[in-house]
Amino acid sequence: MKISEDTLKIISQLSKLEIEDVMKDKILKELESILLMVDKMNEVDTSKIKPMSHPLNQAQNLREDIISENIERDKYIKNAPHSDNGYYLSPKVIEQK
Amino acid sequence: MSTNSKSFNWEPVIGLEIHVQLSTKSKIFSNAPTEFGIEQNLQASIIDLGLPGVLPVLNKKAIEMAVRFGCSINANISNHAIFARKNYFYPDLPKGYQISQLDDPIVGEGSVEIEIENEKKLIGITRAHLEEDAGKSIHDKYDNSSAIDLNRAGTPLLEIVSEPDLRSAKEAVCYLKKIHSIVTFLDISDGDMSQGSMRCDANVSIRKKGETKLGNRTEIKNINSFKFVEKAINFEISRQINLLESDNFIEQETRLYDSQKDETRSMRSKEHANDYRYFPEPDLIPLEISNDFIQDIKNSLPELPDQKIERFCSEYKLNSYEAEILNSSKEMSNFYEKIAQSIKNTKLIAKWMVGDFSAILNKYGSSVEESKISCDDLTDLLQKLDEDKISDPAAKKIIEILWNENITVEEIIERENLKQISNEDDIGELIEKVIKENPKQLEQYRNGKEKLFGFFVGQVMKTTQGSADPKVVNKILKDKLKQ
């Protein structure tokens, strides 16, 4: 299956990865080989098999609704490149308002 | 479309997606608190922040609440629910994805009944699924940065998706109110729209009457009051009609409602439509919900609004309009039933609660919970009315004063001189005096000018400054004028 340059552009935008021009061919080939593998897997007849979302045949353990988290904001916030007065700061996100 | 005839009968087709914050103590995937109005980031735990290496663990209470909702709308509850990652990039979503559900949501198809203009209508609910809320971005605090508060991140949300069964903005509001009353009666959310506990997106399209195919739809995002839902949808309907009638087409897009300008605006900011790249959440294995668990919840469901409305009609002899308004919120119906314990005249309580009490709540934009008039005060007031100790106009006046001052009903009656004179002897004396002072009118009345009856009533009311009981005045006056 062929991947167009436009698709590659969208994928890189979605994944927030910048792909240099010199890398494009290599990455296109790699992505195509992944899709080839998927095609290969699709050859297997799975029509009689129940779909499975997770490899473990187990059920979720649930938590009681209690508050027990110790929140150390000032410690966590040191991980952020920018912060002020208990807020995390990000580059301005301008929504069309 | 080649037809040129304008102004068809257009039919709006509307579906709502309602986000309800569940009132768990802790978040859906972490043990951090979910309170509203806490100082920024003081309830954002390492899980809510999406720090590397943390794992979400599901809150049992959130599951229980979702199942409660499902049972109350007669929906299928999934025995095997799956969580999914919805990927998008925004600063108030620290993980870069929201844990939500796509296939196998916890609540499947169900329905609720709404009543509009005395007609009942069943509204289909496609599904309801659990997900986590995002944080908040504040854009006007800093010149060059957005401030991020992640306190809300991880608050459990139930997203309730309706079928496109609604045909007008009024129906949409009616349906939204119904969902609001169900979730508050179930105690699974405080339903406070002003604090964002309940928010709604509206999908709106129009088509010619009789057409079965759906037109292109737009989605109006994040509407946060009943009033705005109605206004936003109405604006959108007429915008779409204008476009189609001038031979334009409707672009499928997301729009934002601006309540100040009362209009919707396109939010389109990207070339590409959102591509959420959903996939099963690897950090959460499937959720098994046993039939026993579901049955237990079914058995413990409280009385729901519809059942309560029916009971109010039969037990308190109310009409369905009164019963409906009194059950528009849990607090309202509790208020009513509390008063009904001490006053037998249940119609009178209903009349005043649906009328003047609701009116003053509206006037001050207040909910029953925030009411400045306590249940005891209202009981006092209605008791006095029921015993004819005050008149209707006096009661209206007292309600307004009760709201604005910290004072008892008794004190207001005293201060404002609102005591109703209903003693027949007292009123008889007053009437005799009025008759004596107006011999000319008496003569005319007795000669057949019966219209003058009103004149005498007016005179009696005037001398008592409106505090005479009009029922008693009417009765005695009739006798006295004949003598």
Short mmCIF file of all heavy atoms in Angstrom, two decimals, chain B residues 325-358:
data_model
loop_
_atom_site.label_atom_id
_atom_site.label_comp_id
_atom_site.label_asym_id
_atom_site.label_seq_id
_atom_site.Cartn_x
_atom_site.Cartn_y
_atom_site.Cartn_z
N ILE B 325 -43.58 20.94 37.21
CA ILE B 325 -42.74 22.03 37.68
C ILE B 325 -42.19 21.73 39.08
O ILE B 325 -41.02 21.96 39.37
CB ILE B 325 -43.51 23.36 37.67
CG1 ILE B 325 -43.77 23.72 36.22
CG2 ILE B 325 -42.74 24.46 38.39
CD1 ILE B 325 -44.21 25.11 35.98
N LEU B 326 -43.02 21.16 39.92
CA LEU B 326 -42.56 20.85 41.28
C LEU B 326 -41.52 19.74 41.28
O LEU B 326 -40.80 19.57 42.26
CB LEU B 326 -43.75 20.45 42.16
CG LEU B 326 -44.72 21.60 42.45
CD1 LEU B 326 -45.96 21.08 43.16
CD2 LEU B 326 -44.04 22.68 43.27
N ASN B 327 -41.43 19.01 40.18
CA ASN B 327 -40.41 17.97 40.10
C ASN B 327 -39.30 18.33 39.11
O ASN B 327 -38.59 17.46 38.63
CB ASN B 327 -41.05 16.63 39.72
CG ASN B 327 -41.68 15.98 40.92
OD1 ASN B 327 -40.98 15.54 41.82
ND2 ASN B 327 -43.00 15.95 40.96
N SER B 328 -39.17 19.61 38.83
CA SER B 328 -38.11 20.01 37.92
C SER B 328 -36.75 19.86 38.58
O SER B 328 -35.73 19.76 37.91
CB SER B 328 -38.32 21.44 37.44
OG SER B 328 -38.39 22.30 38.55
N SER B 329 -36.70 19.85 39.88
CA SER B 329 -35.46 19.50 40.57
C SER B 329 -35.80 18.77 41.85
O SER B 329 -36.91 18.86 42.36
CB SER B 329 -34.61 20.74 40.86
OG SER B 329 -35.11 21.39 42.02
N LYS B 330 -34.82 18.04 42.32
CA LYS B 330 -35.02 17.25 43.52
C LYS B 330 -35.32 18.15 44.71
O LYS B 330 -36.21 17.87 45.52
CB LYS B 330 -33.75 16.45 43.78
CG LYS B 330 -33.95 15.29 44.69
CD LYS B 330 -32.67 14.50 44.71
CE LYS B 330 -32.45 13.88 46.06
NZ LYS B 330 -31.11 13.33 46.18
N GLU B 331 -34.59 19.28 44.80
CA GLU B 331 -34.78 20.19 45.93
C GLU B 331 -36.20 20.75 45.92
O GLU B 331 -36.85 20.87 46.96
CB GLU B 331 -33.78 21.34 45.89
CG GLU B 331 -32.39 20.98 46.32
CD GLU B 331 -31.71 20.05 45.34
OE1 GLU B 331 -31.98 20.20 44.12
OE2 GLU B 331 -30.95 19.17 45.76
N MET B 332 -36.65 21.12 44.73
CA MET B 332 -37.99 21.68 44.60
C MET B 332 -39.02 20.67 45.11
O MET B 332 -39.91 21.02 45.88
CB MET B 332 -38.25 22.01 43.12
CG MET B 332 -39.55 22.72 42.87
SD MET B 332 -39.37 24.49 43.22
CE MET B 332 -40.48 25.21 42.06
N SER B 333 -38.88 19.42 44.69
CA SER B 333 -39.90 18.45 45.10
C SER B 333 -39.78 18.13 46.59
O SER B 333 -40.78 17.92 47.27
CB SER B 333 -39.85 17.20 44.22
OG SER B 333 -38.90 16.30 44.67
N ASN B 334 -38.56 18.13 47.11
CA ASN B 334 -38.40 17.94 48.56
C ASN B 334 -39.03 19.08 49.35
O ASN B 334 -39.67 18.88 50.37
CB ASN B 334 -36.92 17.84 48.94
CG ASN B 334 -36.33 16.53 48.47
OD1 ASN B 334 -37.05 15.61 48.10
ND2 ASN B 334 -35.01 16.43 48.48
N PHE B 335 -38.80 20.30 48.86
CA PHE B 335 -39.38 21.51 49.45
C PHE B 335 -40.90 21.36 49.55
O PHE B 335 -41.50 21.57 50.58
CB PHE B 335 -39.07 22.68 48.49
CG PHE B 335 -38.55 23.93 49.14
CD1 PHE B 335 -37.24 24.00 49.57
CD2 PHE B 335 -39.36 25.05 49.27
CE1 PHE B 335 -36.75 25.18 50.14
CE2 PHE B 335 -38.87 26.22 49.84
CZ PHE B 335 -37.57 26.28 50.27
N TYR B 336 -41.48 20.95 48.42
CA TYR B 336 -42.93 20.82 48.37
C TYR B 336 -43.42 19.79 49.37
O TYR B 336 -44.34 20.04 50.15
CB TYR B 336 -43.39 20.44 46.94
CG TYR B 336 -44.89 20.24 46.87
CD1 TYR B 336 -45.74 21.34 46.75
CD2 TYR B 336 -45.45 18.98 46.97
CE1 TYR B 336 -47.11 21.19 46.71
CE2 TYR B 336 -46.83 18.82 46.94
CZ TYR B 336 -47.66 19.92 46.81
OH TYR B 336 -49.01 19.77 46.79
N GLU B 337 -42.78 18.63 49.36
CA GLU B 337 -43.28 17.56 50.23
C GLU B 337 -43.10 17.89 51.71
O GLU B 337 -43.89 17.47 52.54
CB GLU B 337 -42.60 16.24 49.87
CG GLU B 337 -43.02 15.75 48.50
CD GLU B 337 -43.05 14.24 48.38
OE1 GLU B 337 -41.98 13.65 48.13
OE2 GLU B 337 -44.14 13.66 48.55
N LYS B 338 -42.07 18.66 51.99
CA LYS B 338 -41.85 19.06 53.38
C LYS B 338 -42.99 19.99 53.84
O LYS B 338 -43.54 19.83 54.93
CB LYS B 338 -40.50 19.76 53.52
CG LYS B 338 -39.74 19.31 54.77
CD LYS B 338 -38.37 19.90 54.81
CE LYS B 338 -38.06 20.40 56.20
NZ LYS B 338 -36.91 21.33 56.22
N ILE B 339 -43.34 20.93 52.98
CA ILE B 339 -44.42 21.85 53.34
C ILE B 339 -45.75 21.09 53.43
O ILE B 339 -46.57 21.34 54.31
CB ILE B 339 -44.53 23.00 52.31
CG1 ILE B 339 -43.22 23.78 52.29
CG2 ILE B 339 -45.68 23.94 52.67
CD1 ILE B 339 -43.17 24.89 51.28
N ALA B 340 -45.93 20.15 52.51
CA ALA B 340 -47.19 19.39 52.48
C ALA B 340 -47.40 18.56 53.74
O ALA B 340 -48.50 18.11 54.02
CB ALA B 340 -47.24 18.50 51.23
N GLN B 341 -46.33 18.36 54.49
CA GLN B 341 -46.49 17.64 55.76
C GLN B 341 -47.22 18.47 56.80
O GLN B 341 -47.89 17.94 57.67
CB GLN B 341 -45.12 17.24 56.33
CG GLN B 341 -44.54 16.02 55.65
CD GLN B 341 -43.12 15.74 56.08
OE1 GLN B 341 -42.59 16.39 56.98
NE2 GLN B 341 -42.50 14.78 55.43
N SER B 342 -47.08 19.82 56.70
CA SER B 342 -47.74 20.62 57.72
C SER B 342 -48.95 21.39 57.22
O SER B 342 -49.68 21.96 58.02
CB SER B 342 -46.74 21.58 58.40
OG SER B 342 -45.71 21.93 57.53
N ILE B 343 -49.16 21.44 55.92
CA ILE B 343 -50.35 22.14 55.41
C ILE B 343 -51.18 21.18 54.57
O ILE B 343 -50.67 20.57 53.63
CB ILE B 343 -49.95 23.37 54.57
CG1 ILE B 343 -49.14 24.34 55.43
CG2 ILE B 343 -51.18 24.07 54.02
CD1 ILE B 343 -48.62 25.54 54.67
N LYS B 344 -52.44 21.07 54.91
CA LYS B 344 -53.30 20.09 54.21
C LYS B 344 -53.68 20.55 52.81
O LYS B 344 -53.90 19.75 51.92
CB LYS B 344 -54.60 19.89 55.01
CG LYS B 344 -54.40 19.03 56.23
CD LYS B 344 -55.47 17.94 56.30
CE LYS B 344 -55.12 16.86 57.29
NZ LYS B 344 -54.81 17.40 58.65
N ASN B 345 -53.76 21.88 52.65
CA ASN B 345 -54.20 22.43 51.38
C ASN B 345 -53.09 22.32 50.33
O ASN B 345 -52.39 23.28 50.02
CB ASN B 345 -54.61 23.90 51.59
CG ASN B 345 -55.36 24.45 50.41
OD1 ASN B 345 -55.35 23.88 49.33
ND2 ASN B 345 -56.00 25.58 50.62
N THR B 346 -52.96 21.13 49.75
CA THR B 346 -51.82 20.87 48.85
C THR B 346 -51.92 21.66 47.55
O THR B 346 -50.91 21.98 46.93
CB THR B 346 -51.74 19.36 48.52
OG1 THR B 346 -53.02 18.94 48.05
CG2 THR B 346 -51.35 18.55 49.73
N LYS B 347 -53.16 21.96 47.13
CA LYS B 347 -53.32 22.77 45.92
C LYS B 347 -52.76 24.18 46.12
O LYS B 347 -52.15 24.76 45.24
CB LYS B 347 -54.81 22.89 45.54
CG LYS B 347 -55.46 21.64 45.02
CD LYS B 347 -54.99 21.27 43.64
CE LYS B 347 -55.64 22.04 42.50
NZ LYS B 347 -55.08 21.58 41.20
N LEU B 348 -53.02 24.71 47.32
CA LEU B 348 -52.55 26.06 47.63
C LEU B 348 -51.01 26.11 47.60
O LEU B 348 -50.41 27.02 47.05
CB LEU B 348 -53.07 26.49 49.01
CG LEU B 348 -52.58 27.85 49.47
CD1 LEU B 348 -53.60 28.92 49.11
CD2 LEU B 348 -52.30 27.89 50.97
N ILE B 349 -50.38 25.10 48.20
CA ILE B 349 -48.91 25.07 48.22
C ILE B 349 -48.40 25.03 46.78
O ILE B 349 -47.49 25.77 46.40
CB ILE B 349 -48.36 23.82 48.95
CG1 ILE B 349 -49.06 23.62 50.30
CG2 ILE B 349 -46.87 23.95 49.17
CD1 ILE B 349 -48.71 22.29 50.95
N ALA B 350 -49.03 24.15 45.98
CA ALA B 350 -48.58 24.02 44.59
C ALA B 350 -48.74 25.34 43.85
O ALA B 350 -47.84 25.78 43.15
CB ALA B 350 -49.38 22.92 43.89
N LYS B 351 -49.89 25.99 44.05
CA LYS B 351 -50.16 27.23 43.33
C LYS B 351 -49.07 28.27 43.64
O LYS B 351 -48.55 28.92 42.74
CB LYS B 351 -51.54 27.76 43.75
CG LYS B 351 -51.94 29.02 43.03
CD LYS B 351 -53.22 29.63 43.61
CE LYS B 351 -53.18 31.13 43.42
NZ LYS B 351 -53.92 31.85 44.43
N TRP B 352 -48.71 28.38 44.89
CA TRP B 352 -47.72 29.41 45.26
C TRP B 352 -46.30 29.01 44.90
O TRP B 352 -45.48 29.85 44.57
CB TRP B 352 -47.86 29.76 46.75
CG TRP B 352 -49.04 30.67 46.92
CD1 TRP B 352 -50.33 30.29 47.05
CD2 TRP B 352 -49.04 32.11 46.88
NE1 TRP B 352 -51.15 31.39 47.11
CE2 TRP B 352 -50.39 32.51 47.01
CE3 TRP B 352 -48.05 33.07 46.76
CZ2 TRP B 352 -50.76 33.86 47.03
CZ3 TRP B 352 -48.41 34.42 46.78
CH2 TRP B 352 -49.76 34.79 46.91
N MET B 353 -46.01 27.73 44.98
CA MET B 353 -44.65 27.33 44.61
C MET B 353 -44.42 27.41 43.11
O MET B 353 -43.38 27.82 42.65
CB MET B 353 -44.36 25.91 45.12
CG MET B 353 -43.98 25.94 46.60
SD MET B 353 -43.31 24.37 47.16
CE MET B 353 -41.75 24.32 46.27
N VAL B 354 -45.44 27.01 42.34
CA VAL B 354 -45.33 27.10 40.88
C VAL B 354 -45.38 28.57 40.44
O VAL B 354 -44.69 28.98 39.52
CB VAL B 354 -46.47 26.30 40.21
CG1 VAL B 354 -46.55 26.59 38.72
CG2 VAL B 354 -46.27 24.82 40.46
N GLY B 355 -46.17 29.35 41.15
CA GLY B 355 -46.32 30.76 40.81
C GLY B 355 -45.25 31.65 41.41
O GLY B 355 -44.14 31.72 40.91
N ASP B 356 -45.59 32.29 42.52
CA ASP B 356 -44.73 33.35 43.03
C ASP B 356 -43.36 32.90 43.53
O ASP B 356 -42.38 33.61 43.40
CB ASP B 356 -45.45 34.12 44.14
CG ASP B 356 -46.57 34.96 43.56
OD1 ASP B 356 -47.57 34.36 43.12
OD2 ASP B 356 -46.41 36.18 43.50
N PHE B 357 -43.29 31.70 44.09
CA PHE B 357 -42.00 31.22 44.58
C PHE B 357 -41.05 30.96 43.39
O PHE B 357 -39.90 31.41 43.40
CB PHE B 357 -42.17 29.96 45.44
CG PHE B 357 -40.88 29.43 45.99
CD1 PHE B 357 -40.12 30.17 46.89
CD2 PHE B 357 -40.41 28.17 45.62
CE1 PHE B 357 -38.93 29.68 47.40
CE2 PHE B 357 -39.22 27.67 46.13
CZ PHE B 357 -38.48 28.43 47.03
N SER B 358 -41.56 30.28 42.37
CA SER B 358 -40.74 30.06 41.17
C SER B 358 -40.36 31.39 40.53
O SER B 358 -39.25 31.56 40.04
CB SER B 358 -41.48 29.20 40.16
OG SER B 358 -41.67 27.91 40.66
#
